[in-house]
Amino acid sequence: MILSDRTSLEQAVTDPKRREAESAIRTPPDTVVLVEGMSDKIFFKTHCRSKGVSFQHTEWGKGKPHIVKQVCSTDDYYGIVDMDHDFNSDETSVSERLVDTRQQCCLYSFVSRRRSDDERIVDDAVKVIRSLVRIDQKERHELILELRSYSDRFQRFVEERTKARLYRGRLGPGTEGAEERSFTWRDITRPNNDPVSDLISNSLRQGYKDFKRDFEDTLSAVGVRDHDLSEAIMILLQGKFGSNSPNRREVNMQIGKLIEESGNSQMVEHFLEQLGLSSTP
């Protein structure tokens, strides 16, 4: 009797019809979409309305190349990456499970719809400064006044830093740089300053000039990199507070919140539809 019961149990457990029914009931695993950073992950997770999709960010320093490699090496992942310097999206054309922020260089510019010459970039910097908790009201007012006084030069600094990095990206890794240097707020506000003297060496000057001429319309539309905006804000803060300045991580977090607050579900669906993952009506 005991043997018979055990045999019946084993048959029931291994019954293919039962296994098929259990699989139908069991919740399938989410489709995993890889994104570049934590702020990207928070943006997509906050605004995603499609079911069965989850987002994972890569480790610090890996970013886009790692995502492209992962997606191409296994069917387990999809990927959403920044366009960066890849104006024709050649790097993501290798897989239908990859998409980038085509038309804008990064998620920040895609969400904010900021052109590279958009004065509202300064407005975004003001929002970041207002959100930093370690700055008192008087200091915050002084910083914003200083920023507004040199808004055109601040905007130009961010714009030129983005263009220079996009140019270097097109040249590929190992591109010769200029002398390493740290910029000060005085450097940014000085008339006729050179915002890219550390990125564009003398041997690259003509090529950089040609790049800006040949891609003038594209460069106006792609916007600016959030990393370059963060860098410029840090220079302003360090000019005011020195070593007591809020750190880069705090500034990056606030820019991430700005991206999150400026976004909506339609922006997320824009990417998911291209990947064939949208499940919203």
Side-chain angles (χ1 to χ4, degrees), residues 8-26:
S8 298
L9 180 61
E10 289 175 350
Q11 289 175 341
V13 170
T14 57
D15 182 4
K17 292 185 177 179
R18 172 174 173 157
R19 302 283 291 183
E20 184 179 347
E22 287 177 341
S23 297
I25 296 171
R26 189 178 298 119

Side-chain angles (χ1 to χ4, degrees), residues 25-73:
I25 296 171
R26 189 178 298 119
T27 303
D30 282 354
T31 298
V32 178
V33 179
L34 301 177
V35 296
E36 292 194 47
M38 175 62 78
S39 61
D40 298 38
K41 174 184 173 181
I42 293 172
F43 164 79
F44 283 104
K45 185 176 179 181
T46 298
H47 297 293
C48 181
R49 299 294 178 265
S50 291
K51 297 179 180 179
V53 178
S54 63
F55 300 90
Q56 292 181 8
H57 69 283
T58 59
E59 295 178 21
W60 175 259
K62 289 190 173 180
K64 183 176 180 177
H66 175 74
I67 292 175
V68 172
K69 182 178 179 180
Q70 283 288 96
V71 171
C72 290
S73 62

Side-chain angles (χ1 to χ4, degrees), residues 70-251:
Q70 283 288 96
V71 171
C72 290
S73 62
T74 174
D75 293 337
D76 294 340
Y77 298 110
Y78 289 74
I80 301 173
V81 296
D82 293 340
M83 178 184 74
D84 297 319
H85 59 272
D86 185 21
F87 300 154
N88 294 323
S89 298
D90 294 329
E91 294 175 16
T92 54
S93 66
V94 295
S95 173
E96 293 181 349
R97 289 177 288 108
L98 279 168
V99 67
D100 66 18
T101 57
R102 186 76 182 270
Q103 308 302 327
Q104 279 77 40
C105 63
C106 63
L107 186 63
Y108 161 72
S109 286
F110 176 86
V111 172
S112 66
R113 300 300 187 188
R114 303 288 192 252
R115 292 172 61 86
S116 61
D117 56 355
D118 196 329
E119 294 179 359
R120 291 177 297 172
I121 292 169
V122 176
D123 295 335
D124 289 346
V126 168
K127 291 177 183 177
V128 170
I129 291 170
R130 283 178 174 156
S131 64
L132 294 170
V133 296
R134 289 203 289 134
I135 302 176
D136 64 35
Q137 186 173 352
K138 180 176 180 295
E139 292 169 334
R140 186 175 290 110
H141 175 76
E142 292 172 349
L143 279 169
I144 292 173
L145 185 63
E146 179 78 2
L147 177 57
R148 292 291 191 193
S149 297
Y150 295 99
S151 60
D152 56 336
R153 294 174 191 175
F154 179 91
Q155 184 272 326
R156 178 175 177 268
F157 180 86
V158 178
E159 177 185 359
E160 283 295 320
R161 300 290 286 179
T162 290
K163 290 178 180 179
R165 286 196 166 99
L166 295 181
Y167 173 61
R168 287 174 60 88
R170 290 179 74 85
L171 295 179
T175 301
E176 175 191 1
E179 292 185 9
E180 189 172 328
R181 62 164 297 182
S182 298
F183 286 91
T184 66
W185 181 244
R186 185 181 294 273
D187 292 326
I188 292 180
T189 60
R190 184 183 295 121
N192 302 316
N193 70 81
D194 183 358
V196 297
S197 58
D198 61 325
L199 297 174
I200 305 297
S201 62
N202 289 334
S203 63
L204 297 179
R205 286 284 166 178
Q206 186 58 49
Y208 180 50
K209 183 178 179 181
D210 295 342
F211 168 73
K212 291 197 291 183
R213 180 199 62 215
D214 295 343
F215 293 95
E216 182 178 2
D217 293 339
T218 299
L219 290 170
S220 293
V222 298
V224 299
R225 298 166 70 248
D226 51 317
H227 300 290
D228 298 315
L229 175 60
S230 172
E231 176 188 31
I233 294 172
M234 282 302 304
I235 292 172
L236 170 62
L237 293 172
Q238 290 169 347
K240 176 73 173 176
F241 301 110
S243 60
N244 294 320
S245 167
N247 60 44
R248 185 73 174 263
R249 181 174 177 274
E250 293 175 80
V251 172

